[in-house]
Amino acid sequence: MAAAEADRNRSLKEALFESLSAILSPAQDVRTAGEEQIKVLEVTEEFGVHLAEFTVDHQGALAIRQLSSVLLKQYVEAHWSQHSEKFRPPETSEAAKVIIRQILPIGLKESISKVRSSVAYAVSAIAHWDWPEAWPELFGILMQALTSGDGNAVHGAMRVLTEFCREVSDTQISQVAPVILPEMYNIFTQTEVYSIRTRSRAVDIFNSCAAMVANMAELHKNIPKQLLYPMLPQFTQAFVQALQVPDGLTSDSGLKMEVLKAITTLVKSFPKAMNQWLPQILPPVWTTLTESANIYVRTVVNDTEEADDPVDSDGEVLGFENLVFNVFDFIHALIETPRFQTVVKKSMDQLIYYVVLYMQITQEQVKMWTVSPDQFVEDEDDDTFSYSVRISAQDLLLTLASEFDGECGPAIFAAVAKHLQEADSAKASGNQHWWKLHEAVMLTLGSIRTLVTDAARSGKVQFDLCGFLQSVVLEDLNQPLSPFLLGRCLWAASRFTLIMSPELIQRFLQATVSGLQASQPPSVRISAIRAVFGFCDHLKSSNNTQILRPHLAEMFEGLTTIAQQFSTDVLALCLETINIVLSIDDEFTTSVEEKVTPMALAVFLKFSGDPLIVSLTQETFKELSENDACRAPLQQKLMPTVMSILQSSTDKIPMGMPSLTLDILESLVRTSPIPLSDSLMQAFPLVARCTLESDDNATMQSGGECLRAYTSVSLEQVMQWQDEQGRNGLYYIVEVTSRLLDPKTSEYTAAFVGKLVSVLISKVGTALGENLDLMLRAVLSKMQQAETLSVIQSLVMVFAHLIHTQMDAVLEFLSTVPGPTGKPALEFVLSEWCSKQHLFFGAYENKVSSIALCKLLQHVIKTNDARFQDIVVKGEQIFHQSEGIRTRSKTSKVPDQWTMIPVAVKMYKLIINELSSQMESNMSTHVSAGGEDLEEDDGWEEADDDDDLENGTEGQTLSSLLGQFAPASDYAGLDLDECDAEEDDPDALQDPLYQIDLQAYLTEFLQSLSQQPCYTIFSPHHNDAERHVLQSVGITT
């Protein structure tokens, strides 16, 4: 038997070798056959074992070994544990696991780095599941490798630890840290023994452990004392010394980058512990910032010297910019930590000076932006996804201005004055790069326009902003040294219209119009577009648009010309600017409508696959539709295309086109007065038919939203409209609603259907007849299969709205209709609602839902409704302290456990939770920048008693409600100024609930409830967090 088993294994190993060889073949058909054979062999028990053997076989062919190591990584991810997210059956057998764990450590001292790295990754992945229970000897093996003196073994072990520590679990870190951290310290400090890259990995591993300890400290305050603080003095001292070592044989920018990352983690996560070392940390970090600035300007900004960037062990160049990023991250950490903000304030003048230096355009950017206008648009956009030192410095500037506006203003003006002097000196000495300082200064002042304007107006600073605009900005416009400086001049001028004289504004407007012309370089034209937007935006907000009117025609002409000459990023910028130009003057907009509509329509049809372009053209159509004089000609040109698209078969038009067209039509309906035009009403049945016949989720969603617009804006016309069979518009809307709620359709079709149903019920009411009952049953049916939060929320909102308007009727309905378990649907709906309420999103939706819970709870208390008495739902998760270490495999095998509580208690808890969220949200907008008195507890000292939250409602009483429970609708909270400015749903804006200040409402509701005799039912269920919230609003628990 044993001989037969050995032969079988040998034949499998040979078959695997042949398959690996075939995959490496240059012949396509041979490779394909090899890949198919691998899939067959992958399910055999020995597959992983043989891959491990091939990987560590020193006599084997290098290509086979490398391929085996890569496949082994994939095998471990897919088959090692059934609890892995990437798991595919079968799971590796225990016998095979034992053999693989024995073989793999041999590969950690492999001389070929790619093989060694793959082995290290596999070892790390296995350790996540098997250490310490099934592989207790692993860390002994790794520690032995680290002290072996073998460079390959050290690198292999460090790679394992690096990967492992990045994803170490909270239960593993308590055993990992005491073993790893002393060794990492030894490696980091033995500069003559270990390479710079190995020492860098030691710091990275320390940083990963520190970050995990910080995360654990949120729940277990003493963890840092146990795991991190014993080693903290040694590491901190070593880090400070490492920052002071000049670049050379034992240090480079890559090592200092890792050190700064670690220091930043410590300062941010353990401010009390790090406070004593900050005086030692700051000087070398400041030196790094200042010396790096000089190197950066020479090697990157002006490219007058060659950069000597280090390379890591994987061959990746560690650009000098990465060190700068980490210095900025460290400063951000100081800013975000109240106890360290004073340090930043004291250095504000010098800090701003260097930040401006780092904001200069680099030579590489000049080259790239000159040949790629789209890249220029992307990199210089306020919401760019690009990242550079320039952008990072600008981000730091904005943070400083936001947090320390009082100190930042004078510091900025001082830095600007100094940079202007240095630029003059550079210019006089023949330095051709002097203009970059001027450009950076303008970018600085323009980026924090409000702070700069307020400081200049206050007279507290000695800086002539108007003089700067005339003597620097206007003067630079006449020096065609760099198109990027010219463009920045136009942009900067557009930011400061509020302090300019009309004559100066006129001069800059004329320069901006000239900047749009075809004779200008692309970068100037793009900056002129941004300047047009800025002038329009700021002059519009200050009601000073009359100065713009003489220039609107030339602006529009220039923008439309540029829009036709460049690709999508520039086109998007043009469209956005055209839209604001159209909003300036109705008469001008009317005069260009005949040009705008065809252009926008052509762009929409050509770029229907580009979400940004489409949204901008939709905004153009909306802008025109809101103009009374443009609406009719717009519809005349646009509606034939809209109706043609809605009637076309899907194979004749681009994918997604019907959905986008329905969105445009919805906007036209929403912006039209009643009665709706004939063309809009002619489109109504096409919308219904398109939605009913489509299988596309987006089309069905958009169709439902478009019909909601028709229902909301002009229900009477919808009801009066009839098809050839005499069926009115309501019939079609009900049909569409049923289609969206059909269990056979994708759940995503119901993402917005709740709004449609709610509008139908509120607008149509009893005219729905039996359709209302059928509709609500369909909502229940859809809710049973829904898994996505947005869909569940949409459906729950139907019942939440009904609680507000028809509580008795909806409770009766839910009590008589069976749910999925056979019990009344009321239990199912409340269960879904209560389990998801804390996840619901949207200011309006939270108001509707939370206030509905208040009304429902009030109803239960007042009526003692028997239908609620037996309904119990999940309360709080149960955590057992006696379980010992819970590895990942243990955690996945043991299901979560919850307390079960009466649904009325759960609703009460959810109301407290929502109040807490509202308080936190509102407080965050009023936090003072100078919060030095705020203390953080990072575990260095014994925890102080928690302070109560800021009490914004203390002292408010409802004396008139003593002894009785007022209707929920009587509570205060109407506050027009506190409404969510982001809300753009017209139906939500018209709902009185939208105007309620939810924090005030919930506060009074809970204060009133706490005065009632029934409160003793709820108070025993409080947890610590809930008591804290209640105490903060004056409720004794």
Side-chain angles (χ1 to χ4, degrees), residues 91 119 124 160 190 246 261 293 316 321 328 387 443 478 535 591 614 677 679 695 704 709 717 804 830 847 985 1032:
E91 185 175 20
V119 170
S124 171
V160 173
Q190 293 183 43
K261 280 184 186 177
E316 181 181 349
E321 293 92 334
F328 288 167
Y387 203 63
L443 175 60
N478 298 319
F535 279 118
S591 71
V614 166
S677 67
S679 61
D695 293 321
Q717 279 179 280
H804 288 281
L830 290 176
K847 289 176 181 179
D985 189 310
S1032 71

Side-chain angles (χ1 to χ4, degrees), residues 51 137 200 390 406 418 455 625 676 725 751 772-773 897 1033:
L51 284 176
E137 68 274 17
S200 295
R390 176 179 168 92
K418 188 174 181 181
S625 187
L676 297 177
Q725 287 76 38
L772 176 57
D773 185 272
Q897 293 179 290
V1033 295

Side-chain angles (χ1 to χ4, degrees), residues 609-623:
D610 187 312
L612 176 59
I613 299 290
V614 166
S615 67
L616 290 169
T617 56
Q618 290 171 337
E619 188 63 32
T620 305
F621 295 137
K622 181 182 178 184
E623 194 68 55

Side-chain angles (χ1 to χ4, degrees), residues 56-84:
V56 301
D57 181 8
H58 293 287
Q59 306 303 318
L62 176 58
I64 293 290
R65 296 181 65 196
Q66 288 184 332
L67 178 58
S68 297
S69 68
V70 171
L71 291 176
L72 181 61
K73 280 170 51 179
Q74 298 171 355
Y75 173 80
V76 169
E77 287 180 340
H79 297 286
W80 199 266
S81 172
Q82 62 179 327
H83 303 295
S84 169

